[in-house]
Amino acid sequence: MPGAVRTLCLAALLGALRAGGTELTLELPDSAQRCFHQELESGVKFTLDYQVISGGHYDVDCYVEDPNGKTIYQETKKQYDSFSHHTEAKGVYTFCFSNEFSTFSHKIVYFDFQVGDEPPILPDMNNRVTALTQLESACVTIHEMLKAVIDSQTHYRLREAQDRSRAEELNGRVSYWSVGETLILFVVSIGQVVLLKSFFTEKRPSSGGAGT
């Protein structure tokens, strides 16, 4: 019986952790815009988190529109941000990422779109009048710890991707600079050899017939 309770508790935890949402990493070319659409009911809460992983100055424009075309969120040249909203009208909500201000650098953007409140991990948890049992309290504690672990993993995964992109960009610049220095040294060396050779070249006087 305890094994069945543990199995039920684990299933509830995993089900709560898989609650509705979408995570996506997209490539945003220069002078381009990407939009996403989601149909939502009235009175539903949604949360949009995004972060630029690589490209340019790691910034992007973002805005969110309701079904009536009203802009409910708009930010320009943000590296990362979070936006939460309770819908007031039923319909299709649109959120867009824009890189139109950039003419030569493309961006890689990560976003997490969550819809609705997290469901309770235990049946009738919100309507209970009795205290939680020790096992139920442990389930809730484990659930909160798993959420913290997932958030930390996401955060460090994005930081690692961003740092790797910066390191690769820096490595490319160092490589180009090294190639440029090598070419300059090669040209200077040849110039020095030619210059020194001209100093030690014997200049023969021009021959001319002497009149007798």
Side-chain angles (χ1 to χ4, degrees), residues 3-207:
V5 174
R6 293 192 186 94
T7 303
L8 179 60
C9 180
L10 180 59
L13 288 173
L14 295 177
L17 290 174
R18 289 196 297 263
T22 300
E23 292 184 75
L24 186 65
T25 301
L26 62 99
E27 185 171 353
L28 195 60
D30 52 281
S31 304
Q33 177 175 286
R34 289 278 189 88
C35 292
F36 301 86
H37 311 275
Q38 178 67 45
E39 185 173 0
L40 300 174
E41 298 291 333
S42 177
V44 175
K45 177 185 177 182
F46 70 85
T47 302
L48 174 64
D49 299 308
Y50 64 91
Q51 179 176 342
V52 181
I53 299 177
S54 68
H57 296 289
Y58 300 88
D59 52 358
V60 71
D61 295 344
C62 179
Y63 67 88
V64 180
E65 291 184 348
D66 65 8
N68 300 320
K70 177 183 176 182
T71 301
I72 56 179
Y73 170 83
Q74 184 172 13
E75 290 290 344
T76 58
K77 296 185 177 181
K78 296 282 289 187
Q79 292 185 351
Y80 58 89
D81 202 7
S82 179
F83 172 68
S84 297
H85 180 73
H86 283 84
T87 61
E88 299 177 354
K90 177 182 178 181
V92 177
Y93 285 75
T94 303
F95 58 98
C96 299
F97 299 99
S98 175
N99 193 31
E100 294 177 328
F101 60 87
S102 179
T103 56
F104 59 89
S105 62
H106 71 278
K107 312 289 175 62
I108 296 180
V109 182
Y110 163 86
F111 74 86
D112 181 12
F113 187 74
Q114 298 290 334
V115 179
D117 294 322
E118 182 181 334
I121 63 173
L122 299 175
D124 300 327
M125 183 175 177
N126 296 331
N127 300 324
R128 296 187 58 166
V129 294
T130 59
L132 297 176
T133 66
Q134 185 176 1
L135 181 58
E136 291 172 338
S137 299
C139 287
V140 174
T141 302
I142 294 173
H143 174 64
E144 296 298 328
M145 294 175 65
L146 287 176
K147 284 177 56 181
V149 169
I150 292 175
D151 291 340
S152 297
Q153 286 181 335
T154 301
H155 171 73
Y156 287 117
R157 186 174 72 248
L158 294 176
R159 285 286 301 273
E160 188 272 337
Q162 191 177 63
D163 292 341
R164 183 175 66 249
S165 175
R166 289 180 175 176
E168 291 176 351
E169 181 181 357
L170 181 60
N171 180 66
R173 292 182 179 181
V174 171
S175 299
Y176 289 136
W177 182 257
S178 300
V179 171
E181 284 186 330
T182 302
L183 293 177
I184 292 174
L185 289 174
F186 185 70
V187 172
V188 170
S189 299
I190 293 178
Q192 289 179 340
V193 170
V194 173
L195 183 61
L196 289 174
K197 187 177 180 180
S198 65
F199 287 160
F200 294 98
T201 300
E202 181 181 358
K203 294 183 178 180
R204 297 179 180 181
S206 56
S207 58

